[in-house]
């Protein structure tokens, strides 16, 4: 009997690794709830959130490969993507909905309107990101995505094997122990602040003993940490003394400790908001070439399909027709929601246009 010939290389069938599995989706939902809640607390407390991708990737790696003895890098990526999306939506909610309550537009936190706003905004973000992914992430050198790069390293380390989950567990235990000593046993104070008045100028400084803040510092890195510190120092040690010396304290003379908070509420925080807006606009201007390139690439691909068999699996995108249908549906739902909330069709359409442009 003659030996059969080897099949040609292009006829070989390569099994695709498991990716969108029930285990990955279920674990991703659980971590989304936990890390989303943690980011809500952190954002309301310190005014910023951090990416959930890195801790989610480490925990997923430890559970799938360390405990269950299974899992691929694709499944780990699904888990961290779900957690990251949940954290992003949580950040969008906590930085906007409280502003509606503070401004008096809402009298309380409304569950279903908040849920629908966050959900529809998330759908817009995902659908816009699909056609712009290659231009803004793969090809654009101006956007370095430090947390994305770090998360990729974690995923690759998990594929090779490792015990990073033990580091996460140790950090959880250490943070819980410190918080218990502060809030449970009151062995020491969580924060310390001192205010002083010198010749009519008021300034203040302090520090917090917080595991959450230490963790944020490790995640965002030294550069961002220094910028945050400098922003606080400029507000409390430079702007506040100048404002108090030149404009006085609203409400008249009062103890330095009370005066510093009045100055912060009436003046300093608005300086911070202005700086934040300018920084956001500067970021958009910086990546304008990548955004224009992304839009051009979308228009150039409008006749292409998403199921081209010659395209590698990892390079296939959802077709533009499904994206357009999804966007159209989301826009109609957003306009309907705004009409219900505002009770003005014209203003709702105007707000919808702004929402879509912002997304």
């Amino acid at each position: 009997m003659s030996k059969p010939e080897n099949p040609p290389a292009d006829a070989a069938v390569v099994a695709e690794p498991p990716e969108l599995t029930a285990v990955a989706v279920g674990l991703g939902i659980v971590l989304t709830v936990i890390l989303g809640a943690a980011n809500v607390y952190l954002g309301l407390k310190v005014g910023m959130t951090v990416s959930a991708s890195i801790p989610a990737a480490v925990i997923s790696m430890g559970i799938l490969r360390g405990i269950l003895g299974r899992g691929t890098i694709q499944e780990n990526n699904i888990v961290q993507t779900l957690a990251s999306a949940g954290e992003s939506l949580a950040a969008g909610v906590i930085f906007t909905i409280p502003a509606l309550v503070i401004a008096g537009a809402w009298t309380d936190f409304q569950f279903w309107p908040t849920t629908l706003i966050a959900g529809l905004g998330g759908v817009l973000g995902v659908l816009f990101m699909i056609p712009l992914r290659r231009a803004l992430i793969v090809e654009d050198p101006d956007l370095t995505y430090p947390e994305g790069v770090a998360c990729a390293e974690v995923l690759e380390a998990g594929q090779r094997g490792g015990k990073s989950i033990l580091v996460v567990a140790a950090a959880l235990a250490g943070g819980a122990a410190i918080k218990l000593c502060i809030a449970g046993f009151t062995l020491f104070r969580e924060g310390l602040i001192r205010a002083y008045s010198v010749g009519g100028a008021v300034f203040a400084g302090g520090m917090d003993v917080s595991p959450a803040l230490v963790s944020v510092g490790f995640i965002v890195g030294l550069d961002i940490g220094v910028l945050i510190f400098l922003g606080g120092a400029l507000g409390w040690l430079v702007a506040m003394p100048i404002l108090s010396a030149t404009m006085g304290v609203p409400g008249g003379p009062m103890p330095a400790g009370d005066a510093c908070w009045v100055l912060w509420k009436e003046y300093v925080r608005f300086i911070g908001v202005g700086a934040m807006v300018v920084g956001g606009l500067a970021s958009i201007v910086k990546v304008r070439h990548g955004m224009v390139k992304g839009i051009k690439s979308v228009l150039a691909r409008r006749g292409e399909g998403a199921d081209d068999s010659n395209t590698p699996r990892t390079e296939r995108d959802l077709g533009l027709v499904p994206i357009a249908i999804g966007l159209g549906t989301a826009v109609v739902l957003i306009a309907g929601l705004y009409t219900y909330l505002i009770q003005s069709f014209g203003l709702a359409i105007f707000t919808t246009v702004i929402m879509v442009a912002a997304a």
Side-chain angles (χ1 to χ4, degrees):
M1 182 182 293
S2 61
K3 184 179 180 180
E5 296 181 0
N6 294 328
D10 56 0
V13 178
V14 179
E16 294 185 356
E19 185 170 2
L20 194 62
T21 63
V23 173
V25 173
L27 180 58
I29 291 174
V30 172
L31 292 181
T32 297
V33 173
I34 296 174
L35 296 176
N39 262 292
V40 167
Y41 171 81
L42 186 66
L44 293 174
K45 180 177 176 62
V46 303
M48 65 176 294
T49 62
V50 294
S51 174
S53 296
I54 298 174
V58 174
I59 296 172
S60 169
M61 175 187 66
I63 294 177
L64 292 181
R65 298 183 65 86
I67 299 177
L68 301 180
R70 52 157 293 172
T72 64
I73 190 172
Q74 287 82 3
E75 286 181 296
N76 283 327
N77 189 49
I78 290 295
V79 174
Q80 69 85 18
T81 301
L82 284 169
S84 177
E87 173 270 325
S88 298
L89 291 181
V93 169
I94 64 175
F95 292 144
T96 55
I97 302 303
L100 295 176
V101 176
I102 294 173
W106 284 9
T107 57
D108 57 2
F109 294 96
Q110 304 178 32
F111 178 79
W112 283 113
T114 301
T115 301
L116 292 174
I117 290 172
L120 292 172
V123 169
L124 281 183
V126 171
L127 292 177
F128 278 132
M129 195 66 252
I130 292 172
L132 296 176
R133 174 186 66 86
R134 185 175 288 104
L136 291 181
I137 295 180
V138 179
E139 301 172 356
D140 195 334
D142 293 332
L143 300 175
T144 56
Y145 298 101
E147 290 183 339
V149 173
C151 187
E153 293 292 334
V154 170
L155 291 173
E156 292 176 359
Q159 188 72 2
R160 296 189 297 266
K163 298 181 179 179
S164 300
I165 187 66
L166 299 179
V167 179
V168 175
L172 285 170
I178 295 175
K179 192 67 177 177
L180 182 62
C181 290
I182 295 174
F185 302 132
T186 61
L187 297 180
F188 50 89
R189 297 176 59 183
E190 183 176 12
L192 176 67
I193 184 171
R194 290 290 182 269
Y196 303 93
S197 178
V198 179
V202 178
F203 62 95
M207 63 177 297
D208 283 341
V209 182
S210 171
L213 295 181
V214 174
S215 302
V216 170
F218 272 109
I219 292 175
V220 303
L222 181 62
D223 292 344
I224 302 299
V226 169
L227 289 175
I228 295 173
F229 172 79
L230 289 177
L234 286 173
W236 289 80
L237 302 179
V238 178
M240 188 174 292
I242 293 175
L243 290 170
S244 57
T246 57
M247 302 178 63
V249 179
M254 62 184 70
D258 297 331
C260 70
W261 288 111
V262 172
L263 288 165
W264 174 83
K265 181 178 179 181
E266 297 294 333
Y267 300 126
V268 174
R269 62 175 178 168
F270 297 108
I271 298 175
V273 171
M276 206 164 53
V277 171
V278 172
L281 294 175
S283 299
I284 295 176
V285 172
K286 183 179 179 181
V287 299
R288 64 189 184 280
H289 298 298
M291 296 178 68
V292 172
K293 184 178 179 181
I295 295 173
K296 289 182 178 179
S297 69
V298 172
L299 297 177
R301 291 177 55 247
R302 63 182 180 272
E304 300 180 10
D307 299 324
D308 186 359
S309 59
N310 296 322
T311 304
R313 179 184 62 86
T314 54
E315 293 298 324
R316 297 176 193 169
D317 291 330
L318 190 65
L320 293 182
V321 173
I323 292 175
I325 294 175
L327 284 174
T329 304
V331 169
V332 171
L333 292 175
I334 290 172
L337 177 61
Y338 285 165
T339 301
Y340 170 76
L341 294 176
I342 303 174
Q343 298 296 313
S344 171
F345 180 74
L347 186 58
I349 296 300
F350 175 73
T351 307
T352 300
V353 172
I354 294 177
M355 176 68 176
V356 174

